C-alpha cells in the first residue's frame, strides 16, 4: 500500500518523494496502527492523514480547532480533486443536515469538524452509523492541560471514539509539544508508543533577535527588503496592533489588521484579503493565524515578546511553509516582559499553572539574550540535542568578535552576593549604576561596596548584561512575577578566577530579497486564475513551485509534471497557461 501512497502523492499533490518522516508515519497508519506525529510547522502534517484517508475505505473525520483551518483545508483539497467538506458554526442547520446526508451517501473522503461537536449526544448518535476508517486529530497538543492551547473539549474525544461499535484508527499531529506534553497525549489517547518525532528544525527559516533598536524602523526596513512579499507582524495587545496598522497605512503599505476586538465579519474579510494576496502584511494579535495554510509568507515579525516558546515556534512557523527561505524576527524591549506578566496575571488563576507560565516566559527572555545558535536553542527546548550551528540565524551569521567581560561579570556576581541573593534584576542594576532611587536608599543598599561599580554604564545596559548572564547559565531567576537573581556554579567559578567570561560583540547585517521577472509574471497569472476560481493564490501553486518553474523552465507536459507541486489534476487545470507564460518569456529573453 505504500506504493499506492506514493502514487497518490504524485497524482494529487505533485511530489515524487515524501518529506522527512512522512513515509514512516503514513506506513504506520495504513498498517492500521494508532499514530502520533510530532512534525515542525510546515513539515507536511496534513498529507500524513490525507493520503491514508484516500487509501482507506469509508470516511476520515478530521478534528480541527479553528473554523479558518477547516475552510482553508477543504478549499485546498477540493482544488486537488479530493472530496472533502466541513461542519462548523458558520453553517445553517439546513447546510449541516445536507452535508451529513452527503457524508452518509459516501460523497466525501474527509470531513472536518470542531472538537466541541464531540460533546453533543446528537452528533455521537449520527457518527455511530458512519463507515469511519480513521480519526485524525490536528493540533493534538490542545488535549494536554500542559499544552499552550489547552482545549477541554479535546479531552472528550478519546471516550467518544472508544464508545463506537467499531473503533477506528487514531492519528494525532502537532508541531509544538514538549516531552511532557507528548507523554500526556500518548496517555490520554492510549497511543501505545507509536510516536514519530521528525524533528523541530526548519532549515529554511532564518531566526533573528533585534534588541535596542527602534522597532518601527526595523519593520520598515524588513518591508523595504521584501517588496510585494507577504508577511505577518504579531503584537501583544489590540492597542499596539491598531497603532502599528495606522502607521503602516500612513507609510503607504497595503496592510490589514486582526484582533479579538473586531467583529467576525471584519476579521474574516481581512483574513481573506491576506490569503488572496490583496494586502501585503497582516498586523495581528495571536488570535490570528492558527491553521492559516498560506504557504508564501516570507517573514514573520514579533513586535513584542511572545508568552512562551511553543507560541513563538507556532507563530514564527507560519513563515516559509513552501520551503522557501523566510525570516522570523523577534523585536525585544524589556517593557515587553511587563506586558506578558500582566497578561499572565489577568488570564491565569491556577497558582501551579501561573508558576509554569512565568518559567516559560523566562525561557523566552533568555532566548532574546542568548548568544548561542537560535535554532539550537529552540531545538533543545523541545528535547532535541546534537545539532550543528545553523549558520544562518542572527547569532551564527553576523560578524562578531569575542570580548573579555570577566571583570564586569565579577562585579555583577559580587553585587548579588552582597545583596544576599534577595533582589531582582532592576534593583541590582540600580546598585551597580549608583542610583539614588528612594527604595534603594531606604534599604541602605548605597552602603554596599559594589554601589556604583558600573556607573559608566546605563541601567538598561547593566540589566541587559545581567539577562545575558542568565541566558548563558551564570545566573538564575527564581520566583514568579517578581523573580530574584541567584548565582549558578559557573558564576562562583568566575568569582574564584577559575573561569573567564567572553561575550560576542557583533555588527548587524541586512538580508535582501530578490525577485526574478519571470517569477513576477507567473505570480500575476496565478493571481488572475485564483480570482477566477475564488481561491487563495497558493491553492493554485505555491511560491516554491513557481520558483522551480523559473529554474527548470519546463517546455511541455512531461517537464511540467516533473516540477514539485504540479500533479496531474493541477496540470490539467492550469498547466498550459503557465507553459505559455514561460515560453513567451523565453522568446523575449533568449
Amino acid at each position: 500500500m505504500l506504493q499506492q501512497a506514493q502514487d497518490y502523492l504524485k497524482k494529487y499533490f505533485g511530489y515524487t518523494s515524501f518529506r522527512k518522516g512522512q513515509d514512516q508515519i503514513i506506513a504506520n497508519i495504513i498498517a492500521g496502527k494508532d499514530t502520533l506525529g510530532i512534525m515542525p510547522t510546515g513539515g507536511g502534517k496534513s498529507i500524513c492523514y490525507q493520503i491514508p484517508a484516500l487509501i482507506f475505505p469509508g470516511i476520515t473525520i478530521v478534528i480541527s480547532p479553528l473554523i479558518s483551518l477547516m475552510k482553508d483545508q477543504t478549499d485546498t483539497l477540493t482544488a486537488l480533486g479530493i472530496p472533502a467538506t466541513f461542519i462548523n458554526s458558520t453553517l445553517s442547520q439546513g447546510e449541516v443536515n445536507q452535508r451529513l446526508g452527503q457524508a452518509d451517501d459516501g460523497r466525501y473522503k474527509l470531513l472536518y469538524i470542531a472538537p466541541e461537536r464531540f460533546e453533543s449526544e446528537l452528533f455521537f448518535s449520527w457518527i455511530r452509523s458512519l463507515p469511519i476508517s480513521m480519526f485524525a486529530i490536528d493540533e493534538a497538543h490542545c488535549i494536554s492541560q500542559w499544552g499552550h492551547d489547552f482545549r477541554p473539549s479535546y479531552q472528550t474525544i478519546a471516550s467518544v471514539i472508544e464508545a463506537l461499535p467499531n473503533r477506528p484508527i487514531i492519528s494525532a499531529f502537532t508541531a509544538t509539544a514538549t516531552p511532557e506534553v507528548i507523554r500526556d497525549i500518548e496517555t490520554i489517547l492510549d497511543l501505545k508508543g507509536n510516536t514519530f518525532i521528525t524533528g523541530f528544525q526548519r532549515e529554511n527559516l532564518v531566526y533573528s533577535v533585534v534588541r535596542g533598536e527602534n522597532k518601527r524602523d526595523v519593520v520598515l526596513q524588513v518591508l523595504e527588503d521584501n517588496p510585494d512579499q507577504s508577511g505577518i507582524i504579531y503584537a501583544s495587545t489590540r492597542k499596539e496592533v491598531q497603532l502599528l496598522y495606522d502607521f503602516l497605512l500612513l507609510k503607504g503599505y497595503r496592510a490589514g489588521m486582526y484582533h479579538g476586538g473586531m467583529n467576525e465579519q471584519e476579521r474574516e474579510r481581512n483574513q481573506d484579503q491576506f490569503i488572496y494576496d490583496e494586502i501585503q502584511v497582516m498586523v495581528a494579535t495571536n488570535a490570528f493565524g492558527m491553521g492559516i495554510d498560506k504557504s508564501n509568507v516570507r517573514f514573520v515579525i514579533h513586535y513584542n515578546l511572545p508568552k512562551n516558546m511553543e507560541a513563538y515556534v507556532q507563530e514564527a512557523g507560519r513563515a516559509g511553509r513552501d520551503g522557501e527561505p523566510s525570516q522570523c524576527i523577534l523585536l525585544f524591549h524589556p517593557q515587553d516582559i511587563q506586558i506578558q506578566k500582566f497578561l499572565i496575571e489577568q488570564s491565569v488563576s491556577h497558582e501551579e499553572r501561573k508558576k509554569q507560565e512565568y518559567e516559560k516566559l523566562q525561557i523566552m527572555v533568555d532566548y532574546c539574550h542568548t548568544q548561542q545558535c537560535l535554532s539550537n536553542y529552540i531545538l533543545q527546548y523541545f528535547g532535541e540535542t546534537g545539532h550543528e550551528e545553523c549558520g544562518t540565524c542572527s547569532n551564527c551569521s553576523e560578524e562578531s568578535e569575542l570580548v573579555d567581560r570577566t571583570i564586569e561579570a565579577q562585579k555583577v556576581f559580587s553585587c548579588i552576593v552582597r545583596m544576599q541573593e534577595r533582589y531582582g534584576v532592576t534593583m541590582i542594576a540600580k546598585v551597580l549604576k549608583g542610583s539614588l532611587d528612594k527604595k534603594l536608599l531606604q534599604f541602605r543598599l548605597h552602603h554596599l561596596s559594589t554601589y556604583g561599580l558600573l556607573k559608566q554604564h546605563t541601567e538598561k545596559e547593566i540589566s541587559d548584561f545581567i539577562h545575558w548572564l542568565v541566558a548563558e547559565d551564570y545566573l538564575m531567576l527564581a520566583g514568579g512575577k517578581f523573580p530574584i537573581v541567584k548565582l549558578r556554579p559557573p558564576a562562583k567559578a568566575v568569582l574564584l578566577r577559575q573561569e573567564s567570561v567572553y561575550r560576542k560583540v557583533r555588527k548587524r547585517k541586512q538580508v535582501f530579497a530578490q525577485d526574478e521577472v519571470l517569477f513576477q509574471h507567473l505570480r500575476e497569472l496565478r493571481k488572475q486564475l485564483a480570482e477566477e476560481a475564488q481561491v487563495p493564490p497558493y491553492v493554485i501553486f505555491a511560491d516554491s513551485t513557481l520558483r522551480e518553474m523559473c529554474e527548470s523552465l519546463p517546455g511541455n507536459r512531461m517537464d511540467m509534471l516533473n516540477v514539485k507541486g504540479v500533479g496531474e489534476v493541477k496540470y490539467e487545470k492550469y498547466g498550459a497557461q503557465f507553459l505559455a507564460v514561460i515560453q513567451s518569456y523565453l522568446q523575449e529573453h533568449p
Side-chain angles (χ1 to χ4, degrees), residues 51-226:
I51 285 182
L54 291 169
I55 293 172
F56 289 150
I59 193 169
T60 289
I61 291 185
V62 184
I63 298 150
S64 176
L66 284 185
I67 289 171
S68 56
L69 174 66
M70 297 180 194
K71 185 177 185 305
D72 208 47
Q73 291 273 6
T74 53
D75 282 349
T76 301
L77 290 170
T78 303
L80 293 171
I82 298 171
T85 192
F86 62 84
I87 292 172
N88 61 35
S89 58
T90 65
L91 304 177
S92 68
Q93 190 56 49
E95 289 172 314
V96 170
N97 293 337
Q98 181 186 28
R99 294 187 186 192
L100 291 178
Q102 290 169 337
D104 266 329
D105 294 339
R107 293 272 297 276
Y108 303 114
K109 292 301 292 179
L110 295 104
L111 172 64
Y112 286 75
I113 61 168
E116 285 74 18
R117 293 271 163 182
F118 281 80
E119 297 171 348
S120 162
E121 284 291 334
L122 189 63
F123 178 76
F124 176 67
S125 64
W126 173 72
I127 64 170
R128 283 176 64 89
S129 63
L130 271 186
I132 303 169
S133 297
M134 178 172 64
F135 278 92
I137 304 171
D138 205 4
E139 308 295 347
H141 59 271
C142 296
I143 208 167
S144 169
Q145 63 176 326
W146 303 116
H148 67 287
D149 282 319
F150 174 54
R151 301 262 294 252
S153 54
Y154 260 75
Q155 295 203 325
T156 63
I157 294 169
S159 58
V160 170
I161 294 173
E162 292 296 335
L164 291 171
N166 297 303
R167 183 188 180 281
I169 297 162
I170 297 177
S171 61
F173 299 89
T174 181
T176 51
T178 59
E180 180 183 40
V181 171
I182 291 171
R183 287 193 297 272
D184 224 8
I185 297 169
E186 289 173 334
T187 301
I188 294 167
L189 294 177
D190 192 22
L191 293 177
K192 303 182 180 71
N194 283 306
T195 297
F196 296 82
I197 301 175
T198 65
F200 295 88
Q201 190 158 22
R202 296 275 304 282
E203 292 179 355
N204 64 310
L205 298 187
V206 178
Y207 293 98
S208 302
V209 173
V210 178
R211 296 188 303 272
E213 295 188 24
N214 183 290
K215 291 186 177 186
R216 289 188 172 186
D217 289 347
V218 176
V219 168
L220 292 177
Q221 184 65 60
V222 173
L223 290 170
E224 187 179 318
D225 292 346
N226 293 273

Side-chain angles (χ1 to χ4, degrees), residues 221-222 224-227 325 327 509-515:
Q221 184 65 60
V222 173
E224 187 179 318
D225 292 346
N226 293 273
Q327 298 177 68
K509 71 176 182 180
Q510 297 170 338
V511 180
F512 295 93
Q514 295 181 342
D515 272 339

